[in-house]
Amino acid sequence: MFSSPKVELNEAWFAREYWKHYFPQLGEYGQRRNPEDETSKINIFLNYGYGIMGGIIHRSIIVAGLNYLLGVNHKTYYRNTPLVYDIIEPFRAFVDYALYKFMLSTDQPTIKLWSVFFGRFLKDYRVRKGRATIKLLDASDIVCESVANAYRYKKADYIWTPKLD
């Protein structure tokens, strides 16, 4: 019988490695992301992108009939929406990618220019679903409906997540 070597997953280590390589690509340096760092344009832009994506997902959760207070991985506490935090995870890569593309496209990055760029990115970027492609903006509805179906039919195979190509 074949057995694969045991790999210990360490989210903190993966995050440090990711940010250590991501930030230099955008002209900043650091070992970790600090969402409270108001001196870092990259952190401000990421906060904005994640916030917009979170709002879109929050809406999709409600439309799918799910309760955003009941998370799978994230815990519930006061003024928290754990299911939004769970479902946003696969979408973070799209925000990060959009910011990378944005920073390559301008010499004078501002939050106003980023907001316009990101809005267009959400509307225009397409992800593959089977043999078709769908707008990233619509993908959150499909992800949330797939999660609702997984709960409804008690089968995780129903869950679909978009992948960055």
Side-chain angles (χ1 to χ4, degrees):
M1 179 174 192
F2 176 77
S3 67
S4 61
K6 184 176 180 180
V7 177
E8 185 176 326
L9 298 179
N10 182 326
E11 185 177 1
W13 181 84
F14 285 113
R16 271 193 310 277
E17 286 298 305
Y18 178 78
W19 295 120
K20 181 171 73 176
H21 295 283
Y22 180 77
F23 280 135
Q25 296 295 318
L26 303 178
E28 286 197 19
Y29 296 89
Q31 297 293 316
R32 64 188 187 98
R33 176 169 136 66
N34 180 0
E36 288 82 34
D37 184 356
E38 295 180 13
T39 64
S40 165
K41 277 190 177 187
I42 301 307
N43 275 312
I44 292 167
F45 294 161
L46 287 171
N47 288 345
Y48 176 85
Y50 296 152
I52 295 299
M53 200 73 241
I56 292 166
I57 290 167
H58 194 148
R59 176 211 154 274
S60 296
I61 287 170
I62 293 167
V63 168
L66 296 166
N67 184 340
Y68 53 83
L69 296 174
L70 302 174
V72 176
N73 186 47
H74 291 86
K75 293 181 175 43
T76 302
Y77 57 88
Y78 182 67
R79 297 181 70 164
N80 180 354
T81 54
L83 190 56
V84 173
Y85 300 142
D86 289 337
I87 292 177
I88 199 173
E89 293 303 332
F91 289 94
R92 289 184 188 276
F94 295 96
V95 176
D96 298 354
Y97 177 70
L99 181 56
Y100 173 75
K101 297 299 267 183
F102 168 70
M103 294 300 285
L104 290 178
S105 74
T106 183
D107 293 333
Q108 299 292 324
T110 65
I111 194 69
K112 182 178 180 180
L113 290 175
W114 167 233
S115 67
V116 171
F117 183 94
F118 189 59
R120 287 189 182 128
F121 179 85
L122 286 171
K123 182 177 71 69
D124 296 338
Y125 192 84
R126 300 187 73 83
V127 295
R128 183 155 302 285
K129 177 150 181 7
R131 293 193 295 169
T133 63
I134 57 172
K135 293 179 185 177
L136 182 60
L137 192 56
D138 297 329
S140 68
D141 287 336
I142 295 170
V143 168
C144 290
E145 189 60 35
S146 77
V147 169
N149 285 332
Y151 278 119
R152 194 173 290 124
Y153 302 111
K154 296 177 177 69
K155 194 165 184 165
D157 294 347
Y158 284 99
I159 297 176
W160 173 79
T161 56
K163 295 182 183 40
L164 185 63
D165 289 333

